[in-house]
Amino acid sequence: MGVLERQRRVRAYRGQIPSPGRPTVAWREDRVRFWAAIAQGAKTEDACAKARVSGPVGFRWFRHAGGVNPCLPAQVSGRYLSFAEREDIAMWHAQQAGVREIARRLGRSPSTISRELRRNASTRTYTLDYRASTAQWHAERRARRPKEAKLTGSHRLRDYVQARLSGEIIDAGGCPVGPAGPAWKGRNKPHRGDRRWVTAWSPEQISRRLPVEFPDDESMRISHEAIYQALYVEGRGALKRELVTCLRTGRALRVPRARNRQKAWCHVTREVLLSERPAEADDRAVPGHWEGDLIIGLKRSAIGTLVDRTTRFTMLIHLPREEGYGVIPRTKNGPALAGYGAITMKNALAETMTTLPEHLRRSLTWDRGKELSAHAAFKIETDIPVYFADPHSPWQRGTNENTNGLLRQYFPKGTDLSRWNSEEIRAVAAALNDRPRKILGWRTPAEAFNEQLLSIQKASVATTG
């Protein structure tokens, strides 16, 4: 068979091949840039911008991968043609350059160029038009040789993993107990809602338990990472995606490590970081530097707490429900009716702290909660600068954290705090301020605070005289 006859048969055969679909809109380099940005902690939309792909494409990549980085190498092996080389081939082929001439220019074997033009040309035309983008798409599609997941090939192992992960909780009579849980919609665990009761072994517990129960059966072995990927990565086909609700976190998508270490607090700027707080607040010698936080109760109820760093004097802020709470349905970005929205919190805090003398309201240190996102307006109204502690650093507000622990004697976790009025809350604060404290030489916070008030009054009288 001559060369021309073989080429005619190839063209006739390729003209009958149905198109495998629309070519991809991004290449391997784009995916590498996208996942590199994700690994650095960037949000998905920012990673899309760095990879120069559209938002829907990047979000689809992240969702299909379950948030798991596929760890693509930055460059393909030099054994294979790159996209840049395919662009050169397309340009020279359009200029009627021969196969051997193209091979000489690229430093490749002529058979490599011949196979490239024959295999990866367009399937949408009878004549074998060669385009670099279509050829790259064909090459990437053929290069996919996914290894069969271990859970897919071993039904016994898969049944064991699934039973330990999503097995039912039964009572002494062998009957299932607990709520049925919501229907799977591809989202995270329900917020303040019942989840289905399951055995919920962690993947690591399952992996470590297998050698104990099957010491002589090497086929009953799997790593915890393989279980996680079977749950999160779409296309593995071993475990159903809805089983992610059986994990303790209940996340529908895996959170990249670098992204998990950071949290966006748009209301915290460089000017209000704890490092900018006056040095006099650190040694506790000067009163008037306060620490604040919320104690949260059932049904989104809360009470604000304020503690002076020097005297340990405590003030509690009553945060009643807003009008319409429980009547108006909750909507995303709707009004904050629970009682500690940004504006409500700012007003209640300003009303409480403006009752203090000016010398006893020097600064306020808060955690990263968004309830104080209106801190700029609060500073304008009260002239009290606000500083925010570093993330995940409760020791930077140790006085307030200790006080909140004491207050849990009166306001336990899991109770509705909205049932207490301002008078009752004020009585609890008075009781706490009347307790003698070792740090104060067994004086009470009320006595230490009154001494500061008297000293301020004497200083003002002396200045006036």
Side-chain angles (χ1 to χ4, degrees):
M1 182 188 303
V3 176
L4 295 178
E5 179 63 25
R6 184 168 67 241
Q7 289 180 348
R8 278 196 293 269
R9 290 194 177 188
V10 169
R11 288 191 179 95
Y13 167 70
R14 293 187 62 84
Q16 299 171 7
I17 297 177
S19 172
R22 181 177 60 86
T24 181
V25 295
W27 309 120
R28 181 190 189 91
E29 292 80 1
D30 302 321
R31 288 185 172 89
V32 169
R33 287 195 297 266
F34 173 81
W35 286 107
I38 292 293
Q40 294 173 0
K43 293 184 178 180
T44 306
E45 53 267 26
D46 297 331
C48 293
K50 291 183 179 180
R52 297 191 291 275
V53 298
S54 66
V57 170
F59 277 97
R60 186 163 57 248
W61 287 347
F62 191 87
R63 185 177 66 254
H64 288 177
V68 180
N69 191 337
C71 298
L72 296 170
Q75 293 180 348
V76 297
S77 170
R79 174 185 175 188
Y80 304 103
L81 291 172
S82 65
F83 182 58
E85 289 177 314
R86 288 190 170 95
E87 287 182 324
D88 291 336
I89 293 174
M91 180 180 63
W92 292 329
H93 183 64
Q95 295 173 356
Q96 305 297 322
V99 170
R100 292 186 179 277
E101 176 63 18
I102 296 175
R104 185 186 62 78
R105 294 179 185 179
L106 286 179
R108 294 281 187 173
S109 169
S111 60
T112 300
I113 307 302
S114 177
R115 282 194 301 269
E116 174 67 18
L117 293 172
R118 185 172 67 253
R119 292 177 179 176
N120 294 336
S122 173
T123 60
R124 299 183 178 215
T125 60
Y126 181 77
T127 57
L128 298 183
D129 295 336
Y130 184 85
R131 295 184 178 87
S133 58
T134 306
Q136 182 71 18
W137 169 54
H138 282 306
E140 290 186 0
R141 185 169 51 84
R142 286 199 189 89
R144 296 186 191 129
R145 294 180 179 87
K147 182 181 177 181
E148 183 185 41
K150 193 170 185 179
L151 289 176
T152 304
S154 175
H155 298 287
R156 183 182 173 207
L157 180 59
R158 183 175 69 248
D159 293 342
Y160 179 91
V161 172
Q162 191 161 323
R164 299 306 184 275
L165 188 68
S166 61
E168 293 180 332
I169 301 295
I170 58 175
D171 59 12
C175 298
V177 296
W184 166 253
K185 296 182 179 179
R187 298 173 186 155
N188 289 343
K189 63 183 179 182
H191 180 66
R192 297 185 181 274
D194 289 327
R195 297 172 64 184
R196 185 166 67 93
W197 288 8
V198 293
T199 50
W201 284 27
S202 71
E204 186 174 9
Q205 288 172 333
I206 297 173
S207 175
R208 298 292 184 178
R209 184 67 181 179
L210 280 168
V212 177
E213 296 192 19
F214 307 95
D216 301 325
D217 191 353
E218 291 297 326
S219 65
M220 296 294 286
R221 300 286 187 273
I222 191 171
S223 68
H224 63 278
E225 179 62 25
I227 299 176
Y228 277 119
Q229 291 198 14
L231 290 170
Y232 284 118
V233 179
E234 187 174 309
R236 291 279 177 166
L239 297 175
K240 295 180 179 178
R241 285 280 286 118
E242 53 263 32
L243 292 184
V244 296
T245 58
C246 301
L247 298 175
R248 288 168 191 166
T249 60
R251 293 193 188 102
L253 296 174
R254 206 172 195 180
V255 179
R257 253 179 216 176
R259 186 186 294 183
N260 197 31
R261 294 192 190 104
Q262 64 184 17
K263 189 176 181 179
W265 287 283
C266 300
H267 61 285
V268 179
T269 59
R270 185 177 298 275
E271 293 76 18
V272 296
L273 294 177
L274 188 68
S275 57
E276 302 298 323
R277 189 175 66 179
E280 65 179 20
D282 296 334
D283 56 13
R284 301 176 186 268
V286 180
H289 296 283
W290 298 80
E291 295 178 3
D293 195 9
L294 294 179
I295 52 176
I296 306 295
L298 197 65
K299 299 178 181 177
R300 301 179 62 81
S301 56
I303 296 175
T305 63
L306 289 171
V307 187
D308 179 55
R309 285 176 55 84
T310 302
T311 64
R312 273 66 174 183
F313 186 79
T314 301
M315 294 192 298
L316 299 183
I317 304 173
H318 183 226
L319 298 171
R321 305 286 197 196
E322 294 287 329
E323 184 179 354
Y325 180 84
V327 179
I328 301 175
R330 289 179 58 190
T331 57
K332 186 176 182 180
N333 298 325
L337 304 178
Y340 55 96
I343 303 301
T344 304
M345 189 70 209
K346 183 261 298 181
N347 294 335
L349 195 61
E351 183 180 353
T352 300
M353 296 200 72
T354 50
T355 60
L356 298 170
E358 184 178 353
H359 293 80
L360 289 180
R361 40 190 173 99
R362 302 176 187 271
S363 73
L364 173 63
T365 303
W366 206 266
D367 69 349
R368 292 293 179 106
K370 292 185 178 180
E371 65 273 3
L372 206 59
S373 56
H375 61 88
F378 170 79
K379 181 180 179 181
I380 294 175
E381 293 181 12
T382 62
D383 200 28
I384 302 175
V386 179
Y387 302 98
F388 291 93
D390 296 331
H392 314 299
S393 304
W395 58 86
Q396 295 178 346
R397 300 169 24 265
T399 304
N400 183 254
E401 291 289 336
N402 176 264
T403 303
N404 289 347
L406 300 177
L407 288 169
R408 283 300 185 183
Q409 178 181 355
Y410 304 98
F411 310 112
K413 293 182 179 180
T415 60
D416 188 0
L417 305 183
S418 63
R419 51 191 172 144
W420 310 116
N421 58 38
S422 58
E423 293 296 328
E424 293 167 330
I425 291 175
R426 196 177 295 116
V428 172
L432 205 62
N433 290 328
D434 285 337
R435 287 186 187 179
R437 305 290 293 272
K438 180 179 180 179
I439 193 68
L440 299 176
W442 302 111
R443 294 178 300 162
T444 66
E447 292 171 345
F449 195 73
N450 287 332
E451 289 179 7
Q452 297 295 333
L453 289 176
L454 292 175
S455 64
I456 292 173
Q457 292 176 0
K458 290 180 181 178
S460 62
V461 170
T463 304
T464 304

